[in-house]
Every structure is written in C-alpha cells, then in structure tokens.
Amino acid sequence: MMIRKGAIVLVLFVMSTLAVQAQQAVTHRCYTDEIHQHRMETDELYRQAYELTQQNLAEAIQQAHAARAEAEGSPLYFVPTVVHVFHADGGAGNLGIDQVLDGMRILNEDYQKLNADTGNVQTPHKAVHADTQIEFRLARIDPNGNCTNGVVYHRQPLVSNSFAPNCLKAYGWDNDKYMNIFLVPNLGGLLGYSAFPVNGMIGLEDGNFMRSSSFGSIGTAPSGFPYNLGRTTTHEVGHYLNLFHTFQGGCGDADQCADTPATSGSNFGCQQGQSTCGTLDMPENFMDYSDDDCLLMFTNDQATRMQASMLSPNSQRGQLVTTANYNATGVLNSVTPCAPMPDFIVSKDNTCTGSPITFIDNHYNGTATTRIWEFPGGTPATSNDSIVDVTYAQPGSYSFTLSVGNAQGTNLEQFDGVIVVQDDQGADASNWGSSFESTSSIGQDVTMQGWEFGDNFERTTSASQDGNASMRVNALNKTNIMGFGGAGGDYHIEYVYLPSVDLTTQGASNLHFWYAYTSQFGQDSDTELELQVNFGCTNAWITRLT
C-alpha cells in the first residue's frame, strides 16, 4: 500500500525458491565445488554427462601436450567472451566500460604469463609457471549477427537484493558460441562460482557468475580488498576450463595436475613458505583461495588440462574455438564502432499520479549521437534529453521506448510494464476492496511487476474465495536449475499492487485477504508471501505481514 494525504497503497509479493542471505562480507571465495557436488548427488543426467566428458578430456590431454610444445609463446585458442553487467538502476553494479576492459586485460595477462607480478612466484615453482596460450576476446558479433563490443548492460531490480539469483543467466548468449561472464553487485558472502565443462549444458547451468566489484582493478574494485585485482575471474574461468582447486583432496592431491604440490587445505592471505603435505605449498596458484595480490600463476599441467577441454570440436568448450565460431562471433575481426544499444535507469519504478519519475539514458555498445524517448500516457510524451522527469496523470502500468543511434545505426527497445502508477488520493476505506472480478481493473487499479522470463501474477478464474476470480502466480513454473536454495540457487519475486485507500476518515483498520498455496520443492519455506504498505509516494515500503 502507498499513502499520500491519507492514501495507502498495498503490494503483495511472492518470492519463490530461496531464502535470501543478508551478509555481504566475503565468507566463501568460490562455490563451484558445492554446486557441482550437489548436482552429482541429485541429478543423474548431469552426473553421467560429467563423467563422460571427463573421460573424453582425459584422452585429449596427450594431444594437448603435443600442441603446446609446437606453439610455445603464441595463443592457440581465442575464446569468444561476453560480459553481462547487471545493475539495479545504476549504483555500484553499473560498472564503467573502463573497468570491464581492465578486467579483460587482467584475465588475459594472467593466462598468458604477462602479469607484472610474476616475479613474486616462489623460486621452486618458477620452472612450472606456464603461459596457457589461451586468449579471451570480447565478441564482435552478437547472436543476431549485429556489431557488438562484447559488453551488455541489464537493468534488473533483482540484483538489489543481498543475493543475486542464478536465473539471471537467462540473459546469457548461446553458451555453445560464447563464454558468458555475469557480473552482479551482490552475491551474499561469495565472490563467484562457475561450471565445469559438461557437454549438453544449457545456458542456465553454464557460465561464470561473479560479484562485480571483484572484476578488474579500477572503478568499484578497490572496495573489494583484498579481492580487488581481478583474480576472481581468473580463478572461476579456470573451473570453466576444467581446473579443480589445488587443495582438492587435501594431501591426497586430487586436482589431477602432477606439478601442483599437494596442500592440506585452502590458503587465505598469502601463506608462502609453508609445507602442509611434505612439499612446498603453492598458495600463489590461481586455483587456490589466497588474496588477489598473492595469486600469480598456472602450471604446465594446468595449462595442458585447460587446452584439452577445448581440443575436441565436439565438446562444448571445443565448439567455442573452431574457425566457424571465430567467424560467427567476430573475435578475429578488427575493432570497429558499433551502433548503441538502449538501457536505462529510473529513480523509482512505482509512484503516485502527479509524482515525477526520473529516467536516465544508460545506453551501451557505442556512443549515441541521437536519442528519442517515448512515454505513452506520460508528460512529456517524448524527449531527446539524456535525463528526463516524467509524470503520469492516471493510475496503471506503463511501458516506454528508448531509441539511440549514431552513424553506425539506430536501435530501439520497448520496456514493458516497468512503471506502476497508483492513484494519489485513494478510495474511501468503507468501499475499498479488490475481488479481481472485473477484468478491466487488471493493469489499471490492480497492476503487476515481475520476472520477465516466467509467469508473473495473473488473474485466474480457476480458484476464488468468493465470486469467480483471484490473482495467482504459478511458482511451479519457475526454474531452479540448481535444485536448491542458498548460494548458486534461484529465486523470483513477483509483485501485485492493489488500489490505494484513504484512511483519513477511519480509525484503526484491519485488512483481510485470503490466500492458498502449494510447495514447489516439498518445503513450505520455498515460497514466501509478503504484504507491504507505503505511506506516500516514496520507495519506503514497510512489511506488515510475512
């Protein structure tokens, strides 16, 4: 509910399939092992595909040894890469392009033994310090065949929560053609997680998912100290290319690389000089958990193992590095300017009639020289400004369009149902209520917001308390590819806004509503319903019932 001069607006929202974590301090550097282990135990198809992929890769390792020897000092593989930058109306997640490019620079320097701090490798380990001969190049052609700079911005309110959900991978590009890097501002206590190569993985299972402040070394990165030099990306991409942690199996040495010394457990800080399994530990290996300024190297066997993951054109990683895919993604092309793509920031996405919302052009992919906003139902109806204040006279759900262009071309996008406007006066409390019987009220007096890749609240006549209708959100259709909550899990939040109500002529009031639900994964906690009220046209929503 929202109140202004006595008007209250009520919102119900459903969050399904994850209890969101609250902490932001880093408590776990990487969650790849935990996700993988859970899937091995609960997903038989995944287990079989993983084991078959590993068998095939083991056979490819000898071929990779020979290929490395023949091409020493030059890149053998160019991995087409796309970086997805998620933000909740600007803020810390809205990384500047310079920080993204800096993150790519660090990734390539680390993989090609060009990082400036290689001299800090402990002397006994310098003999196995390897150039992996792998280069990561931002894509120059997108999945639709258009010019791209390989960096995509997504305005997504879900990332304002304390733990961004795995389902954001739905925005990813074809994982058979591109390596997707997903950057989110909040990831609970994690820095990131990735996916081992498993043939046949769909996009929601694949890619590298990381906290944006751990990408690169400039911009927001210094705030992530001591994980502020971009080595989280280097680490997670190692998993993506089939590397295990160097401490896998403890002193049992199960990382399948003979030249990485066994270590009893993960290292934090920079524990150089210690021997936990009888030989000198290698805390400077990128696949350990040391601070960023301590992570320095891959070994020869690790380089061979990563190359083996790409050696077969029939493997999912191998498909990335074929000549056909180089041409399809443009990674061998020279860098040329592209037409800009629309993205936006809003000061708020729900308001009252007559209260302005500020729209900010946040385009990407190229510098715009032309711009046209269109705001159906709003004032002004159009604008060419980069920042514009818009008001709406009538309640309802509103869409808008943004077109941006330059000499290379123009792109227009319509953003549907982003803005919810409530009546600033409110109905008299004695007559207020929402039975959802009238279809004409849906989208005007009763409005919805939610996840764009799934079912949101909708009017249904399949169930009701009285009359013939109710509002339903079908959480059973929500995808939780990992099958569990917590890190690496999924959740979706769907909103239904009810009409505003004027309580100035009434004393203390009780609100009654009826609800019914069923569990998605057999636990009552996998779906949560909250009722919130808002006193005035602000974003200060107050939870009244959970």
Side-chain angles (χ1 to χ4, degrees):
M1 278 183 170
M2 213 179 263
I3 239 187
R4 181 175 183 175
K5 296 180 180 177
I8 300 180
V9 176
L10 175 143
V11 61
L12 292 171
F13 72 84
V14 168
M15 181 171 71
S16 56
T17 75
L18 179 66
V20 180
Q21 300 181 25
Q23 78 277 9
Q24 284 299 299
V26 174
T27 59
H28 210 118
R29 176 147 197 163
C30 172
Y31 212 67
T32 303
D33 281 350
E34 288 81 355
I35 294 171
H36 170 68
Q37 187 61 37
H38 179 86
R39 298 199 68 197
M40 290 289 285
E41 294 172 354
T42 62
D43 186 338
E44 180 62 19
L45 291 178
Y46 174 84
R47 186 188 65 78
Q48 293 177 5
Y50 172 78
E51 291 177 350
L52 179 60
T53 302
Q54 291 299 310
Q55 291 173 15
N56 294 336
L57 292 177
E59 297 170 3
I61 286 178
Q62 293 305 314
Q63 300 175 54
H65 269 300
R68 273 178 49 71
E70 291 176 8
E72 180 117 16
S74 2
L76 282 174
Y77 302 101
F78 302 96
V79 179
T81 303
V82 56
V83 179
H84 300 270
V85 180
F86 290 90
H87 65 93
D89 292 315
N94 196 33
L95 304 188
I97 188 67
D98 289 345
Q99 183 174 349
V100 176
L101 297 178
D102 186 62
M104 292 299 298
R105 172 190 65 80
I106 292 169
L107 181 64
N108 279 309
E109 288 179 355
D110 287 349
Y111 273 76
Q112 295 173 43
K113 196 181 172 182
L114 296 174
N115 45 308
D117 48 8
T118 57
N120 296 330
V121 172
Q122 296 178 94
T123 300
H125 298 151
K126 289 183 177 181
V128 296
H129 186 183
D131 167 10
T132 71
Q133 299 170 295
I134 300 169
E135 185 173 326
F136 303 90
R137 293 191 175 184
L138 291 171
R140 296 299 165 190
I141 300 175
D142 74 10
N144 297 316
N146 299 317
C147 177
T148 180
N149 65 2
V151 184
V152 185
Y153 286 75
H154 305 279
R155 184 258 180 189
Q156 174 48 256
L158 278 178
V159 302
S160 65
N161 297 310
S162 61
F163 199 109
N166 183 79
C167 62
L168 295 178
K169 290 181 180 178
Y171 289 93
W173 292 3
D174 185 347
N175 61 313
D176 289 335
K177 294 183 176 181
Y178 305 89
M179 180 180 79
N180 288 280
I181 294 176
F182 303 94
L183 302 179
V184 297
N186 302 312
L187 203 50
L190 300 183
L191 289 179
Y193 59 90
S194 188
F196 295 115
V198 176
N199 291 346
M201 279 192 300
I202 63 174
L204 285 173
E205 300 171 291
D206 206 1
N208 306 282
F209 206 78
M210 290 173 286
R211 186 189 293 192
S212 54
S213 63
S214 67
F215 194 78
S217 62
I218 61 175
T220 64
S223 67
F225 179 84
Y227 309 110
N228 60 325
L229 299 178
R231 265 59 193 267
T232 296
T233 312
T234 306
H235 178 103
E236 298 305 339
V237 171
H239 289 311
Y240 178 87
L241 296 177
N242 206 36
L243 291 188
F244 299 112
H245 291 130
T246 52
F247 50 85
Q248 202 90 8
C251 291
D253 198 14
D255 74 340
Q256 301 186 30
C257 293
D259 56 3
T260 57
T263 181
S264 62
S266 55
N267 286 286
F268 293 89
C270 195
Q271 303 297 318
Q272 287 193 348
Q274 67 179 6
S275 299
T276 59
C277 293
T279 55
L280 182 67
D281 288 358
M282 191 184 280
E284 66 263 46
N285 194 285
F286 290 125
M287 300 312 294
D288 207 329
Y289 279 2
S290 302
D291 292 350
D292 273 15
D293 62 1
C294 189
L295 297 178
L296 308 168
M297 65 175 289
F298 289 115
T299 68
N300 289 317
D301 284 356
Q302 286 177 319
T304 299
R305 187 173 177 82
M306 287 189 281
Q307 287 188 14
S309 74
M310 296 182 289
L311 194 58
S312 170
N314 297 321
S315 70
Q316 196 147 33
R317 301 296 183 252
Q319 293 175 43
L320 299 175
V321 294
T322 63
T323 299
N325 198 51
Y326 289 161
N327 293 332
T329 57
V331 293
L332 301 183
N333 299 350
S334 57
V335 177
T336 58
C338 297
M341 295 295 295
D343 185 47
F344 70 96
I345 295 169
V346 290
S347 58
K348 52 187 174 181
D349 57 15
N350 57 80
T351 189
C352 286
T353 52
S355 181
I357 295 177
T358 301
F359 290 79
I360 302 173
D361 175 9
N362 192 51
H363 70 267
Y364 61 93
N365 202 53
T367 302
T369 56
T370 63
R371 175 189 307 103
I372 301 174
W373 298 90
E374 295 185 356
F375 304 105
T379 303
T382 64
S383 177
N384 304 117
D385 296 334
S386 60
I387 302 175
V388 56
D389 289 338
V390 180
T391 57
Y392 296 87
Q394 298 297 323
S397 177
Y398 289 91
S399 304
F400 63 92
T401 63
L402 174 60
S403 171
V404 287
N406 60 18
Q408 283 67 48
T410 298
N411 287 297
L412 178 148
E413 187 167 348
Q414 177 167 310
F415 300 96
D416 292 323
V418 173
I419 304 301
V420 169
V421 179
Q422 301 284 342
D423 193 326
D424 71 336
Q425 297 303 313
D428 186 276
S430 62
N431 296 317
W432 185 89
S434 291
S435 62
F436 315 115
E437 293 298 300
S438 171
T439 57
S440 63
S441 68
I442 308 300
Q444 184 172 350
D445 293 330
V446 178
T447 50
M448 292 81 71
Q449 286 177 323
W451 176 236
E452 61 190 279
F453 292 108
D455 296 327
N456 299 318
F457 271 106
E458 61 182 355
R459 179 180 180 271
T460 179
T461 56
S462 63
S464 64
Q465 169 64 22
D466 52 42
N468 300 304
S470 62
M471 295 297 291
R472 177 185 70 173
V473 59
N474 189 359
L476 289 176
N477 284 349
K478 303 302 180 184
T479 300
N480 186 347
I481 198 71
M482 301 305 176
F484 68 107
D490 281 332
Y491 63 90
H492 308 263
I493 303 178
E494 324 298 344
Y495 299 85
V496 57
Y497 293 85
L498 303 182
S500 53
V501 57
D502 185 351
L503 294 178
T504 57
T505 60
Q506 188 153 316
S509 302
N510 293 318
L511 173 69
H512 299 274
F513 65 97
W514 291 264
Y515 65 91
Y517 69 96
T518 188
S519 171
Q520 182 172 9
F521 295 112
Q523 302 177 30
D524 289 346
S525 61
D526 64 31
T527 300
E528 180 178 279
L529 175 69
E530 287 193 16
L531 183 149
Q532 294 184 339
V533 297
N534 193 330
F535 296 87
C537 291
T538 71
N539 284 331
W541 291 92
I542 302 170
T543 299
R544 292 298 197 195
L545 179 67
T546 300

